[in-house]
Amino acid sequence: MADSCQAPQGFLAAVREAVGPDHCLSDPDLKASYELDWTRRFGGPALVVVRPANTSEVAKVLAACNRFQVAVVPQGGNTGLVGGSVPRRGEAVLSVGRLNRVLSCDPDEGLIVAEAGTTLASAQAAAAGVHAELGIDIAARDSATLGGMVATNAGGIHVIRHGPMRARLGGIEAVLADGTVATRLSGLVKDNVGYDLAQIMAGSEGTLGVVTKVVLHLVPVPPFRVTALVGLRGTEHSPADPAASVRSVSEVAVALAIRLRRHVDGIDALELVYAEGMALVREVLGLPAPPDPGADAWLLVEASGGQDPTGMLAEAIEDSPGVTEAAVADDAGGRARLWAYRERHTEAIATLGVPHKLDLTLPMKALAEFAGAVRSEVSAALGGQVDTRVIMFGHVGDGNVHVNVIGPEPEDYRADDAVFRMVIRRGGSISAEHGVGVAKLDFVTAARSAGDLTVMRRVKDALDPSGILNPGVLLPPVA
Ligand code: 2HG
Ligand code: ZN
């Protein structure tokens, strides 16, 4: 397969003809932003960046890639964090950025249909226009695109209520490696006629096809929505209550998250930040003091529904061990100010260097112990390297934590490996919501059974027999 920066003869002419010369980028300056991922850890030269305007142009581009055996990396908003949407060694990049129209948004059917390059924020705005929501939200909403979110099965802050991207999908249109267009856009909730195209594409990371259109289910805007930021301390720090059992702040947080999940109706989000991340976000972004500025951690909880959830929330939080102070907001501005402490972690961390982003899920019963052990395991893996920082935060309500390690060189995998091993030993997942990309390839065989991997490989071989779609991503090479 042609995967160096030398295009096979005739290929560039074919893609230029497919999309027009203005949307076939070969100039290094124009290609640059497509060649490096958001973390700056992953990337490489692109043979060419091709920017089709619609499904039929995508089909022509893929048919050309297939004919000339040119490897191709599909790309949406390039907000991926595992190196799955950037070239590695001279692949063509197929950007869906120009497929960015919302095609319909129908509150009666409860469906929005949009092209794959539509940003999440644009789709959210269209839904808001008919007094509806998407039931999915992520901090990168202004740049992340719906197609990329399907390809990675993105999760985000509302998964505990509405599930990840695959649960929101009502249908899809995708172009296969040979240019075949596969369409299932009916959006019918009940539609059992065989294999589910949308679910096959969800989480496939651009290895099975290029998503061109997406149908998502809408949910109504709830009349009431409340956000609270709750300061937490390990109960060993509460001499005022000698009867309380001694708990680390992570145990306190997990226990409170479980309690809220079980006893409060309409929990939308349960997010956790620790003191180190809070201090960094405040310093980098100049944010004011949160409730209990000396807390060890903060739980951000959001609930919504037909009734005002404030009373129920307060009751569940107030007498919970380890809770210190809380701030509550029910207006958009106040809620956004509380969310900023959590949502702006990613950009604040980026100011420290190139992060190793380890996106993990642990069973709830293993989460607090994992959180207590992760720093020392990272330090041991790096032989006590002193300039390392470990900043952890995430979606505690569904067991998903983001461990960010800053210090090791981008190509140094010792910390990554140590943390992935910890997760597998505890029955967790090495990829909660960011995907596998190239960052976690070495751990896929440990994370999936041999039978599971066989199914994945056979599906890949059936849909992309020449292996032109995002090679080197998701599926490890056969040993
Ligand atoms: C989030 O939850 C994203 O904000 C990014 O998944 C996580 O920066 C990260 O590690
Ligand atoms: Zn996340």
Side-chain angles (χ1 to χ4, degrees), residues 38 81 138-140 156-157 271 342-347 349 355-359 391 393-395 400-404 433-434:
W38 196 91
L81 301 172
I138 61 176
I157 56 185
E271 301 283 317
R342 158 62 183 88
E343 285 210 317
R344 304 195 70 179
H345 264 59
T346 302
E347 65 187 280
I349 288 167
H356 293 229
K357 291 206 170 280
L358 312 174
D359 156 49
I391 298 181
F393 62 98
H395 318 281
N400 175 194
V401 278
H402 297 303
V403 176
N404 280 251
E433 57 172 6
H434 295 172

Side-chain angles (χ1 to χ4, degrees), residues 105-107 110 123-135 218-221:
C105 189
D106 182 341
Q124 286 172 329
V130 297
H131 207 60
E133 296 181 344
L134 300 184
L218 299 172
V219 291
V221 176

